[in-house]
Amino acid sequence: MTRLSQESGKSFDPRVVEIILRRYRHLEKLVHKRTSGMVEPKLSTDIRVGNGAAPASGFEGSSETAGPATSESTFLDSIAAAKQEVQILFELSQELGTSLSLDDTLSVFAAKLRRLVPYDSIVIYIRYDDVLLPEHVSGENLRRFSALRIPMGEGVSGWVAYNKKPILNGNPTVEPGYGNDPGKLAMLSSALAVPLEGLEGVVGVLTLYRAEKDAFAKDHLRVLLAVSSKIALAIENALKYEKAENSATTDYLTGLPNARSMFLQVGRELTRAKRTNGTVTVMVCDLDGFKQINDRFGHLEGNRVLQIFARRVRETCREYDYVARMGGDEFVVIVPDLSPEAANVKAAQLRELAREAGHEVCGEDLLSLSVGKTVFPNDAEDMDTLLAEADRRMYAEKQSRSGKKNRRTYPRLGCCVPVELCQEGSRTPVFGKVSDISAGGCFIETGTLISTATKWRLAFAIERGNLQVEGIVVRTNPGVGVGIKFDDATLPQRERVKLILEFVQGATGPDQSAQRYLATLARPVK
């Protein structure tokens, strides 16, 4: 009783301890009184033990005398199971946040969950717009579940995602596409599905399947509901990380790999070709006439041209060919083990795809393509030389054409003039250097990150004060600079542009080409 008093308030309820201390002597007397006349029976050797009939439920039937012992055993088992459940849930919570890889996160979760909720198959669906796609599948019918596309509101998982409510012991055969094979309809009979709700809504559905009918209990549902918010948050974080990682290597407009990813791929292809004594053909492509499309039809239509051309180039390439957008209207195609004749055919195909993309958007043949090709190891054995030579050959082909597509609406004037920029609605200045300028716009070298389609005011410091002109950003090259198109909607704006060009010519120094350029300002090149 001394030990009991010491543990009061720590291991035991103080009120219960108080009652026991007050009545334990009386309880001991009752026990002695009831057991004083009992004699402990000796073990009998006359009883024969035989095999009885197997119980239908899988458990032996219990007599009245065995009731208390069975009850006590069940109680202890429940405590042990609860303790194990708490431990596994704690481990799940700890491990779900340790990795930003979606595959690793879901694999760890599925393995841990099986210790709490037995299942034959587990599928974790991720929501993409109005469709659920299986992101992690393990267990029975792996191939069948991996091929499912479940619209929101359809089947067990689709209903759960749409209504944000769980389903206990649903019918797996109603999942869209699962019941297409009549010979296997009876393989799975029970489904337990819960919605995975993150901070931004339903991100997916967790569905477990069993072969037995009504195999899941309410305790299984309780466990899934306890972990659903944690796995939903982990999935949300993993998807955001995956998106950020992809955006670092993917061009946002066309969905093709960007320049950074392209350089890595060229290095890998050259390493492979050296190991196998193969070849790698590098094609640098530049769209001719693209600026005219932007000027005449607008930048949204120009973006459509880029998207159509990129998609069709990707569709016409082999699975292991590599297509990337370098920036602007320049693309690179990396083709391993291609013969010279096949490379010429491929270049002609790319030119035709460019013409078709321009005609589809504009209704005219305004677009063509200049292609420069180099081959490893014939032309060079390192990445930089291969790309530089392909780029040089592309520009040589462009200059060899005297077509109207290659001419700019306004000729350019090279210069080096400081300029102050201020975004519309802001008073914070940004400083840069104009490297070339025309009556239509200019390119400004600056390390500041500037978004396209934003309006800016440019201020040039001249002897008579600041001369300002307005324009919109139409092209960005992060870390290098931005291309700005001047707003020439009003006569005063055009006059200011002309004064800026005269100032730039004076700041750059006398030059005959500049004189000829200023003489043509009144009329665009046709």
Side-chain angles (χ1 to χ4, degrees):
M1 299 308 295
T2 303
R3 179 62 182 274
L4 186 65
S5 300
Q6 292 174 350
E7 293 297 323
S8 177
K10 298 177 182 178
S11 303
F12 307 113
D13 189 328
R15 291 173 297 179
V16 175
V17 172
E18 182 184 353
I19 294 172
I20 293 175
L21 290 175
R22 191 168 63 247
R23 302 192 59 188
Y24 78 93
R25 296 184 183 280
H26 174 68
L27 295 174
E28 284 181 349
K29 291 179 180 179
L30 288 177
V31 172
H32 287 302
K33 182 178 180 180
R34 290 184 181 182
T35 60
S36 59
M38 295 179 62
V39 178
E40 185 176 354
K42 293 182 180 182
L43 183 63
S44 174
T45 59
D46 299 329
I47 298 176
R48 184 180 179 85
V49 180
N51 292 330
S57 63
F59 296 94
E60 289 288 352
S62 58
S63 63
E64 294 183 2
T65 56
T70 303
S71 178
E72 181 180 357
S73 175
T74 304
F75 179 71
L76 294 176
D77 289 343
S78 300
I79 293 177
K83 184 177 181 182
Q84 183 185 24
E85 179 181 315
V86 170
Q87 180 63 29
I88 295 175
L89 289 175
F90 175 76
E91 292 176 5
L92 270 174
S93 301
Q94 294 294 106
E95 294 185 16
L96 283 178
T98 58
S99 174
L100 288 174
S101 168
L102 186 58
D103 290 339
D104 292 346
T105 298
L106 300 184
S107 297
V108 169
F109 174 77
K112 294 282 186 184
L113 182 65
R114 195 163 204 162
R115 295 163 58 187
L116 287 174
V117 184
Y119 57 80
D120 294 322
S121 298
I122 179 173
V123 184
I124 300 176
Y125 299 95
I126 302 298
R127 179 182 178 181
Y128 294 96
D129 297 327
D130 292 330
V131 177
L132 295 176
L133 299 180
E135 190 69 30
H136 177 84
V137 182
S138 64
E140 301 290 337
N141 298 323
L142 187 146
R143 290 186 179 179
R144 185 188 298 182
F145 282 120
S146 299
L148 294 185
R149 289 176 58 87
I150 301 179
M152 292 285 288
E154 297 186 18
V156 173
S157 302
W159 187 93
V160 167
Y162 185 81
N163 293 281
K164 301 180 182 180
K165 295 179 180 179
I167 282 183
L168 179 63
N169 290 320
N171 182 8
T173 61
V174 302
E175 297 282 33
Y178 176 81
N180 291 339
D181 188 353
K184 296 184 178 180
L185 288 181
M187 289 189 65
L188 297 174
S189 302
S190 302
L192 172 58
V194 296
L196 301 177
E197 293 190 66
L199 299 177
E200 300 176 1
V202 174
V203 298
V205 174
L206 168 60
T207 308
L208 307 182
Y209 302 95
R210 290 285 298 273
E212 297 84 4
K213 192 173 182 180
D214 297 331
F216 296 105
K218 290 184 179 180
D219 276 346
H220 297 146
L221 175 60
R222 176 181 55 80
V223 170
L224 290 196
L225 292 176
V227 300
S228 61
S229 60
K230 297 179 178 62
I231 185 63
L233 186 60
I235 289 174
E236 253 187 356
N237 291 336
L239 289 174
K240 288 177 181 178
Y241 176 77
E242 194 175 80
K243 184 178 180 181
E245 194 174 41
N246 289 337
S247 65
T249 57
T250 304
D251 175 60
Y252 75 97
L253 180 64
T254 62
L256 294 177
N258 60 14
R260 175 187 177 189
S261 180
M262 185 272 298
F263 282 113
L264 296 175
Q265 181 66 19
V266 172
R268 286 192 290 265
E269 286 294 340
L270 295 186
T271 301
R272 183 200 59 80
K274 290 176 183 177
R275 187 175 62 253
T276 60
N277 294 323
T279 63
V280 178
T281 301
V282 177
M283 300 182 183
V284 175
C285 312
D286 190 82
L287 294 172
D288 303 326
F290 182 69
K291 186 176 187 305
Q292 290 187 33
I293 292 177
N294 278 339
D295 292 341
R296 287 181 55 187
F297 298 92
H299 292 279
L300 292 179
E301 294 300 285
N303 289 344
R304 279 189 61 210
V305 169
L306 293 175
Q307 291 169 339
I308 293 172
F309 176 70
R311 184 179 68 252
R312 291 181 179 173
V313 171
R314 181 65 266 178
E315 290 173 352
T316 56
C317 285
R318 299 171 298 182
E319 184 179 354
Y320 47 86
D321 294 340
Y322 197 81
V323 183
R325 183 188 179 198
M326 284 286 286
D329 55 1
E330 191 168 329
F331 297 81
V332 174
V333 182
I334 304 168
V335 190
D337 300 322
L338 198 67
S339 66
E341 295 77 13
N344 291 332
V345 172
K346 186 67 181 177
Q349 183 188 48
L350 293 176
R351 294 187 184 99
E352 179 61 19
L353 291 176
R355 187 197 66 78
E356 291 176 356
H359 192 276
E360 179 175 331
V361 174
C362 307
E364 304 176 40
D365 289 337
L366 297 177
L367 204 63
S368 62
L369 190 72
S370 297
V371 182
K373 302 190 298 291
T374 52
V375 180
F376 168 90
N378 302 342
D379 296 313
E381 295 189 0
D382 64 278
M383 176 177 61
D384 293 338
T385 307
L386 271 175
L387 289 170
E389 179 61 19
D391 197 56
R392 187 192 67 77
R393 293 178 183 181
M394 181 270 294
Y395 274 107
E397 180 177 317
K398 184 185 291 286
Q399 294 302 321
S400 67
R401 299 178 182 176
S402 57
K404 191 164 129 181
K405 297 187 190 73
N406 292 328
R407 300 180 185 172
R408 294 185 176 274
T409 307
Y410 301 99
R412 290 182 175 183
L413 176 63
C415 59
C416 182
V417 177
V419 65
E420 178 183 313
L421 301 89
C422 191
Q423 187 174 1
E424 183 180 55
S426 173
R427 296 184 178 181
T428 304
V430 174
F431 298 95
K433 180 180 70 175
V434 178
S435 57
D436 65 65
I437 191 170
S438 72
C442 64
F443 187 83
I444 300 175
E445 296 179 1
T446 176
T448 304
L449 295 177
I450 297 178
S451 303
T452 56
T454 54
K455 294 183 178 180
W456 291 76
R457 184 175 66 255
L458 284 62
F460 294 83
I462 62 176
E463 295 179 356
R464 291 173 291 177
N466 283 347
L467 188 60
Q468 298 184 358
V469 65
E470 296 176 351
I472 186 170
V473 177
V474 295
R475 178 165 58 95
T476 64
N477 194 348
V480 179
V482 295
I484 292 182
K485 179 183 177 183
F486 294 144
D487 181 8
D488 58 355
T490 63
L491 181 61
Q493 176 84 353
R494 291 197 293 270
E495 290 296 330
R496 287 196 294 271
V497 170
K498 186 173 181 180
L499 291 174
I500 289 174
L501 290 169
E502 292 176 350
F503 161 71
V504 169
Q505 182 205 2
T508 307
D511 181 37
Q512 290 184 354
S513 62
Q515 295 287 353
R516 290 195 300 271
Y517 171 72
L518 289 173
T520 64
L521 287 179
R523 52 181 180 83
V525 176
K526 298 181 180 178

